């Protein structure tokens, strides 16, 4: 089979001998497709090619969490490589509307392989692609390179890929077993798809929460390519997928971007037709959610595409398909290699048009931005820490902004009230003018409601940053010019002449949690107020952190310097008070001033538990809070020292321990003795299925209304088979935003102003708790804001509990029906989750 495929590629003109640069087969010592190549050997091959070929430059742009290198190979004609920095800079200038089309400017084609670790074939194909591009004996590729510069990233996710490759190479036999029930076709938890922290890197382009994404997108934005391909795999039985993509397309995508997808798709189809390879287009993989490897480039002026080969982690080196054919790794490499070359071919043929359209894209974005809103104002509202976090995200995405404005007031759509209102613009407020080159990405990230051309979509349908960050914002139809200067940042200085009685720190952002985490780990005793108070003419809300000198004498004379230095590190503004006697509210010795005991936190993982949900929590503690957490496989819960565990977190998942009466009773006893159990998403639903005092809200059926519907529409149940997908979306909620009413007197809601915006991905809602329960976050009628929700599900999502605390003995059960840490970009949920960990039950 391998020989036949390679002969076919030779007939296509893609392969030719080269005596100088080693082929992958020659370098590795085995034919591509006979086994999976470890990452270090892939790196070695790229280094060897770069050392041998004259028209390639290899660059390490970063490293993974586990220390593996992230590479990009830049390939061009000798003439283009001699001026490669000029080419890169001109591409960047075009994306900033600073330079028009240049007749000598080649198209930059960026090929990204293996973002999902166990979709491992594409890295193998990347080696073949690199070889053919540097092979002087291949007349076709050398001709294409006159009009293109090709960037190859052979593996976006080395940690995940190594997890998969190590598994497969350790479990396969001398000969591959094609039976998919064999061990080599069934990865253990968590699988190799995600990165070290189990994040899906293909959904992290815009948010850049992960180390790999941060380094890659920073480099991408230094080049701003005109064409980007993301190589994937899908289920074993699926034929190959390539562009054009499926609806819904976001309406920010231009006709030219659609047109070029079709041109490339037809070219791919030409080669697949010659070989009789099956493929499909225009289905399943849409262009809507902004943080994919195809949509992110699209919203940045490029042509972004996803290519999907059948196989993925279960395919191994060879696997038997249901039609009786055997799908081999060699086949899969050939398919990805063919579309790689075909895409470069079209880019070369259409180079002049691509560069022209790319230039016009950014010029139009700057002069005539799409959409009805021409400015956005994000109010600081006393939460400069959270505002600064949003500003950092905008910088990462090349979106220009300022603080304050030349206008004292404006009128605009209030995201939180849903009404057009007049508002003032303060100097601390973040102001974004849409008349800028990257206005399309700005619009996509900020528009209150995105227009869906098709409700059958592949991912979440709402993500507006004002809701994700929980910051009062306005979308304005008129342009506003922001001030050039950022507001001054207050720096805390230690007081030496008069020692303060205590330092006070606000509690309303993730940076405040990081500050608390650092203090607790340095053995600083910290308290928080359960009720508001006033002192020195200033009001302090519930949740305010209180760091008294009393109890922290171990720091001695360094106490003030240490507290202020820590605050400055996390950009926290402190207030120093001279007395524990307050003007209004409870004094610092009151029992309403609660001591924060440093919690010992345990997180469960393992088979049946969502690796993505567990990874979000793991990453949150280690990479964002720098706070210790113990990760335990659910199979080993009997080994937990419960006396040394204060908080147990159950991520989204299916738990055998909750179905086992003995294990469940033991867990209840731990809670009753003072433990705090935090259950998220389906874990909370499992608790509701047991005797935990929590119940899922069931939709009450109106029998009379149903009977009436049957009598008036007797053929209601007769639905066409062809419409089955449309019928199923009545219960569909891929990700929509709802407004949650909060009880801000409860510690779970401290730091919020009465409203929380949640990303809802299922229909789960809980009955209001009565005895011993606190309904902290609830949905009431008309709570829907944006995103697609099926008709049946939308009817269910009202008058119920989403976030609550059930008291059990001396302990608590915290119910989080929705995930407040979703993909780590839902910034406004991080404080809610932190409240559950650090404040509830103290």
């Amino acid at each position: 089979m391998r020989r036949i495929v390679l002969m076919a590629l030779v007939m296509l003109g893609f392969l030719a001998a080269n005596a100088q640069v080693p082929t992958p087969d020659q370098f590795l010592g085995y034919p591509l497709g006979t086994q999976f190549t470890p990452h270090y050997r892939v790196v070695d091959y790229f280094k060897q090619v770069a050392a041998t070929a004259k028209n390639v430059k290899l660059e390490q742009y970063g490293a993974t969490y586990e220390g593996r290198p992230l590479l990009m190979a830049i390939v061009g004609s000798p003439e283009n490589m001699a001026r490669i920095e000029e080419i890169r800079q001109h591409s960047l200038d075009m994306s900033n509307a600073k330079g028009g089309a240049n007749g000598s400017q080649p198209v930059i084609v960026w090929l990204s392989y293996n973002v999902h670790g166990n979709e491992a074939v594409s890295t193998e194909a990347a080696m073949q692609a690199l070889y053919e591009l540097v092979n002087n004996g291949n007349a076709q590729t050398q001709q294409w390179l006159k009009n293109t510069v090709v960037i190859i990233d052979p593996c976006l996710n080395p940690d995940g890929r190594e997890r998969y490759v190590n598994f497969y190479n350790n479990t396969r036999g001398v000969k591959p077993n094609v039976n998919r029930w064999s061990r080599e076709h069934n990865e253990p938890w968590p699988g190799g798809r995600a990165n070290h922290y189990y994040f899906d890197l293909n959904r992290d382009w815009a948010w850049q929460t992960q180390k790999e994404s941060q380094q890659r997108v920073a480099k991408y934005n230094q080049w701003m390519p005109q064409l980007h391909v993301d190589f994937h795999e899908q289920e074993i039985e699926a034929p190959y997928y390539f562009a054009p993509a499926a609806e819904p397309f976001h309406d920010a995508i231009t006709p030219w971007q659609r047109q070029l997808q079709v041109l490339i798709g037809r070219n791919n189809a030409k080669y697949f037709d010659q070989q009789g390879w099956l493929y499909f287009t225009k289905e399943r993989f849409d262009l809507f959610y902004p943080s994919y490897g195809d949509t992110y480039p699209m919203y940045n002026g490029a042509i972004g595409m996803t290519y999907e080969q059948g196989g993925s982690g279960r395919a191994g080196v060879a696997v038997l398909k249901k039609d009786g054919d055997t799908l081999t790794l060699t086949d899969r490499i050939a398919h990805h290699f063919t579309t790689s070359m075909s895409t470069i071919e079209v880019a070369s043929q259409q180079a002049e048009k691509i560069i022209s359209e790319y230039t016009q894209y950014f010029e139009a974005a700057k002069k005539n931005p799409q959409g009805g809103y021409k400015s956005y104002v994000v109010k600081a509202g006393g939460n400069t820490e959270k505002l600064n976090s949003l500003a950092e995200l905008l910088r990462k995405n090349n979106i220009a902004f300022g603080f304050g404005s030349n206008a004292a007031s404006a009128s605009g759509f209030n995201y939180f009230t849903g009404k057009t209102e007049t508002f003032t613009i303060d100097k601390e407020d973040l102001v974004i003018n849409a008349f800028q080159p990257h206005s399309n990405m700005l619009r996509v990230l900020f528009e209150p409601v995105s227009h869906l051309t098709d409700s059958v979509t592949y991912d979440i349908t709402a993500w507006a940053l004002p809701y994700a960050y929980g910051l009062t914002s306005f979308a304005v139809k008129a342009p506003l010019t922001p001030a050039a200067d950022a507001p001054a940042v207050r720096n805390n200085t230690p007081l030496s002449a008069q020692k303060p009685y205590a330092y006070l720190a606000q509690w309303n952002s993730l940076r405040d949690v990081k500050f608390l985490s650092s203090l607790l780990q340095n053995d600083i005793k910290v308290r928080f107020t359960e009720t508001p108070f006033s002192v020195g003419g200033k009001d302090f809300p519930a949740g305010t952190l209180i760091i008294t000198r009393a109890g922290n004498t171990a720091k001695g004379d360094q106490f003030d310097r240490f507290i202020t230095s820590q605050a400055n590190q996390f950009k926290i503004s402190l207030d120093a008070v001279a007395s524990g006697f307050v003007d209004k509210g409870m004094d610092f010795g009151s029992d309403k001033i609660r001591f924060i005991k440093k919690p010992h936190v345990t997180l469960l993982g393992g088979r049946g538990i969502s690796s993505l949900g567990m990874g979000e929590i793991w990453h949150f503690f280690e990479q964002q809070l720098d706070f210790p957490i113990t990760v335990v496989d659910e199979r080993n819960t009997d080994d937990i020292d419960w006396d040394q565990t204060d908080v147990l977190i159950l991520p989204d998942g299916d738990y055998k321990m909750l179905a086992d009466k003995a294990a469940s009773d033991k867990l209840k006893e731990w809670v009753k003795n003072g433990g705090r159990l935090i259950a998220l998403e389906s874990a909370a639903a499992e608790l509701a299925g047991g005797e935990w005092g929590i119940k899922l809200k069931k939709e009450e059926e109106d029998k009379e209304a149903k009977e009436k519907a049957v009598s008036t529409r007797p053929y209601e149940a007769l639905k066409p088979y062809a419409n089955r997908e449309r019928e199923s979306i009545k219960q569909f909620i891929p990700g929509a935003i709802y407004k949650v009413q909060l009880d801000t007197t409860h510690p779970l809601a401290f730091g919020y102003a009465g409203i929380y915006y949640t990303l809802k991905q299922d229909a789960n809602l809980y009955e209001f708790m009565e005895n011993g329960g606190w309904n902290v976050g609830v949905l009431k009628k008309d709570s829907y804001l944006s995103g697609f929700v099926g008709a049946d599900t939308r009817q269910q999502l009202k008058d119920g509990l989403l976030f609550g605390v059930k008291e059990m003995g001396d302990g608590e059960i915290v119910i989080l029906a929705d995930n407040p840490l979703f993909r780590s970009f839902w910034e406004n949920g991080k404080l809610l989750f932190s409240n559950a960990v650090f404040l509830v039950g103290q």
Side-chain angles (χ1 to χ4, degrees):
M1 173 61 73
R2 170 181 165 77
R3 185 177 179 184
I4 294 173
V5 171
L6 290 181
M7 287 179 63
L9 293 176
V10 169
M11 293 174 62
L12 294 175
F14 285 163
L15 296 179
N18 187 292
Q20 296 179 339
V21 180
T23 68
D25 295 8
Q26 292 169 341
F27 181 83
L28 298 172
Y30 54 84
L32 278 181
T34 58
Q35 68 182 70
F36 285 106
T37 307
H39 183 257
Y40 80 94
R41 292 290 285 154
V42 176
V43 172
D44 288 346
Y45 180 67
F46 270 66
K47 288 181 177 178
Q48 179 63 39
V49 171
T52 308
K54 297 180 180 180
N55 63 328
V56 60
K57 175 184 177 183
L58 187 64
E59 181 178 340
Q60 179 175 340
Y61 66 83
T64 69
Y65 285 109
E66 295 176 18
R68 295 184 177 89
L70 296 166
L71 301 178
M72 55 186 285
I74 305 160
V75 189
S77 67
E79 296 78 12
N80 285 334
M81 292 304 293
R83 61 185 188 98
I84 193 65
E85 177 57 22
E86 174 191 329
I87 291 170
R88 184 197 69 79
Q89 187 60 53
H90 188 69
S91 181
L92 189 61
D93 287 344
M94 288 189 295
S95 73
N96 289 320
K98 291 182 178 179
N102 185 329
S104 64
Q105 181 72 12
V107 173
I108 299 175
V109 180
W110 189 303
L111 305 178
S112 291
Y113 298 91
N114 220 153
V115 68
H116 292 145
N118 59 5
E119 298 174 10
V121 61
S122 64
T123 291
E124 311 291 332
M127 289 188 281
Q128 189 68 60
L130 176 65
Y131 172 73
E132 289 307 321
L133 289 174
V134 302
N135 181 1
N136 291 330
N138 189 325
Q140 281 188 319
T141 60
Q142 300 315 297
Q143 181 65 33
W144 298 338
L145 288 176
K146 292 180 180 179
N147 298 325
T148 63
V149 167
V150 181
I151 297 176
I152 294 178
D153 187 331
C155 188
L156 278 66
N157 182 10
D159 291 351
R161 187 175 194 275
E162 279 302 272
R163 193 183 309 128
Y164 172 74
V165 171
N166 285 335
F167 149 75
Y168 187 80
N169 289 343
N170 285 334
T171 57
R172 65 168 292 184
V174 174
K175 295 181 179 180
N177 190 319
V178 299
N179 297 313
R180 65 179 77 183
W181 62 83
S182 66
R183 183 176 64 159
E184 67 191 72
H185 295 295
N186 292 275
E187 291 178 82
W189 189 92
R193 178 181 174 88
N195 76 339
H196 173 81
Y197 282 105
Y198 309 159
F199 272 71
D200 185 337
L201 295 179
N202 188 42
R203 287 159 172 81
D204 195 42
W205 278 76
W207 319 131
Q208 298 165 51
T209 70
Q210 299 301 289
K211 185 177 182 179
E212 295 90 345
S213 304
Q214 292 161 5
Q215 297 167 124
R216 181 185 70 253
V217 178
K219 184 59 65 174
Y220 180 97
N221 286 334
Q222 290 174 12
W223 281 85
M224 292 301 291
Q226 287 75 54
L227 201 153
H228 179 266
V229 182
D230 205 21
F231 291 86
H232 289 260
E233 292 186 74
Q234 53 189 324
E235 63 270 20
I236 290 171
E237 303 298 333
Y240 198 96
Y241 165 84
F242 47 74
E247 293 287 352
F249 277 61
H250 195 287
D251 60 8
I253 295 171
T254 67
W256 162 249
Q257 289 174 310
R258 287 173 174 257
Q259 181 184 343
L260 190 57
Q261 278 210 341
V262 174
L263 288 175
I264 294 171
R266 289 190 182 279
N267 204 57
N268 291 341
K270 177 183 71 175
Y271 291 117
F272 273 55
D273 289 343
Q274 290 175 11
Q275 298 303 314
W277 294 336
L278 291 175
Y279 57 90
F280 68 100
T281 66
K282 303 182 290 292
E283 296 180 68
R284 191 183 308 172
F285 304 105
D286 59 71
L287 291 172
F288 197 66
Y289 172 70
S291 206
Y292 282 139
D294 53 9
T295 52
Y296 187 84
M298 277 288 204
Y299 300 144
N300 279 286
I303 311 301
M305 294 176 294
T306 292
Y307 292 167
E308 295 266 358
Q309 163 64 43
S312 198
R314 293 203 65 191
V317 170
V319 66
L320 188 65
K321 297 173 62 180
K322 290 180 181 179
D323 62 7
D325 285 344
T326 298
L327 176 65
T328 69
L329 181 58
T330 302
D331 298 330
R332 292 150 63 197
I333 293 171
H335 298 161
H336 267 336
F337 171 71
T338 299
T339 55
S340 298
M341 296 296 104
S342 170
T343 301
I344 298 168
E345 180 183 28
V346 176
S348 179
Q349 294 169 347
Q350 297 289 326
E352 185 176 348
K353 179 66 172 175
I354 292 172
I355 294 298
S356 174
E357 291 288 342
Y358 185 80
T359 302
Q360 292 176 38
Y361 179 94
F362 290 101
E363 289 177 349
K366 182 177 181 180
K367 296 176 182 178
N368 186 27
Q370 296 180 8
Y373 299 115
K374 306 306 179 186
S375 300
Y376 301 90
V377 178
V378 185
K379 302 290 292 179
N383 203 329
T384 55
E385 289 87 355
K386 194 180 290 185
L387 192 73
N388 287 334
S389 296
L390 174 58
E392 288 175 8
L393 180 67
L394 297 179
R395 290 189 188 98
K396 290 177 181 178
N397 289 292
N398 288 333
I399 295 172
F401 61 90
F403 292 88
S405 172
N406 57 357
S409 65
S411 177
F413 173 83
N414 186 330
Y415 286 77
F416 288 7
T417 66
K419 300 176 182 179
T420 298
E421 301 171 2
T422 299
F423 63 96
T424 59
I425 304 176
D426 300 315
K427 64 179 181 179
E428 295 86 6
D429 297 340
L430 193 150
V431 178
I432 316 166
N433 190 331
F435 287 82
Q436 61 172 291
H438 294 275
S439 62
N440 286 330
M441 177 59 83
L442 167 65
R443 175 196 168 196
V444 170
L445 295 180
F446 269 82
E447 59 189 349
V449 178
S450 298
H451 175 64
L452 273 168
T453 58
D454 193 318
S455 52
V456 180
T457 181
Y458 199 63
D459 211 295
I460 65 172
T461 55
W463 52 77
L465 293 183
Y467 300 126
Y469 279 76
L471 290 166
T472 301
S473 302
F474 295 87
V476 183
K477 293 185 177 181
L480 294 170
T481 303
D485 296 329
V489 177
R490 173 182 170 184
N491 198 46
N492 301 287
T493 56
L495 303 178
S496 55
Q498 182 180 359
K499 302 292 186 182
Y501 181 87
Y503 289 98
L504 309 180
Q506 62 186 8
W507 182 259
N508 59 15
S509 75
L510 177 61
R511 295 190 185 189
D512 303 322
V513 185
K514 293 179 179 180
F515 177 53
L516 173 64
S517 169
S518 179
L519 295 181
L520 293 179
Q521 291 182 80
N522 282 281
D523 298 322
I524 297 294
K525 293 181 174 60
V526 184
R527 292 169 170 79
F528 70 95
T529 177
E530 195 176 296
T531 58
F533 66 88
S534 300
V535 64
K538 185 174 180 178
D539 296 330
F540 295 88
T544 298
L545 300 182
I546 303 172
I547 308 134
T548 60
R549 187 175 301 278
N552 288 306
T553 54
K555 288 291 181 184
D557 293 339
Q558 294 301 310
F559 173 73
D560 299 279
R561 186 172 300 279
F562 179 79
I563 299 301
T564 53
S565 66
Q566 290 294 297
N568 290 336
Q569 177 183 339
F570 297 105
K571 299 179 181 178
I572 302 297
S573 295
L574 296 175
D575 285 284
V577 293
S579 171
F581 187 91
V582 302
D583 302 331
K584 185 179 180 181
M586 304 300 175
D587 297 328
F588 293 171
S590 167
D591 62 2
K592 295 296 189 294
I593 307 298
R594 312 294 295 178
F595 174 71
I596 301 177
K597 175 189 174 184
K598 177 185 174 183
H600 293 88
V601 183
T602 296
L603 171 66
L604 292 192
R607 186 173 182 178
I609 296 171
S610 166
S611 59
L612 296 176
M614 176 266 176
E616 288 160 354
I617 299 168
W618 183 24
H619 180 269
F620 181 69
F621 276 92
E622 287 201 347
Q623 293 296 323
Q624 297 179 59
L625 299 188
D626 189 23
F627 192 85
I629 187 170
T630 301
V631 180
V632 177
D633 193 295
E634 190 201 6
R635 297 173 302 175
N636 302 324
T637 52
D638 287 342
D639 298 332
I640 294 176
D641 185 344
W642 293 102
D643 292 334
Q644 295 298 314
T645 302
D646 302 305
V647 177
L648 177 67
I649 303 174
L650 306 183
D652 182 33
D654 181 16
Y655 291 84
K656 291 183 178 180
M657 61 184 290
L658 297 179
D660 181 88
K661 188 176 186 307
S664 184
D665 287 346
K666 183 177 181 180
L667 186 59
K668 287 178 185 175
E669 192 62 27
W670 170 77
V671 174
K672 289 177 182 178
N673 289 331
R676 193 179 323 143
L677 182 65
I678 302 174
L680 292 87
E681 301 181 270
S682 62
E686 282 201 58
L687 291 181
E691 297 179 357
W692 294 82
I694 302 158
K695 293 183 179 180
L696 275 167
K697 188 176 185 293
K698 302 296 183 181
E699 183 183 10
E700 295 182 3
E701 296 183 353
D702 187 339
K703 294 183 179 180
E704 184 178 341
K706 289 189 71 175
E707 291 172 0
K708 183 178 180 181
V710 172
S711 65
T712 57
R713 299 190 299 274
Y715 304 120
E716 181 73 12
L718 304 182
K719 300 177 176 67
Y721 177 73
N723 290 349
R724 63 194 182 279
E725 189 173 27
R726 299 291 161 191
E727 287 294 321
S728 68
I729 66 173
K730 290 182 179 180
Q731 289 81 38
F732 192 42
I733 177 168
I737 299 173
Y738 275 76
K739 179 188 292 186
V740 182
Q741 306 291 329
L742 293 179
D743 173 10
T744 57
T745 69
H746 193 284
L748 184 59
F750 282 176
Y752 292 92
I755 298 293
Y756 172 77
Y757 297 91
T758 191
L759 188 65
K760 197 99 188 78
Q761 294 182 279
D762 58 37
N764 284 348
L765 200 58
Y766 295 84
E767 292 184 1
F768 295 133
M769 293 186 287
E770 295 181 0
N771 298 329
W774 302 102
N775 304 294
V776 182
V778 302
L779 288 186
K780 296 182 180 178
K781 291 182 177 65
D782 301 321
S783 296
Y784 165 82
L785 283 173
S786 68
F788 178 78
V789 184
D792 292 350
T793 297
R794 188 162 179 176
Q795 183 64 26
Q796 294 174 37
L797 288 175
K798 59 183 180 181
D799 299 328
L801 171 73
L802 283 181
F803 308 116
V805 177
K806 176 69 177 178
E807 295 177 349
M808 181 177 284
D810 292 330
E812 300 83 22
I813 305 164
V814 181
I815 296 298
L816 303 175
D818 296 337
N819 181 6
L821 301 180
F822 180 72
R823 295 181 187 168
S824 197
F825 90 89
W826 203 257
E827 198 73 19
N828 199 32
K830 294 176 181 178
L831 185 68
L832 183 75
F833 184 81
S834 300
N835 286 341
V837 174
F838 292 102
L839 302 191
V840 170
Q842 296 283 12

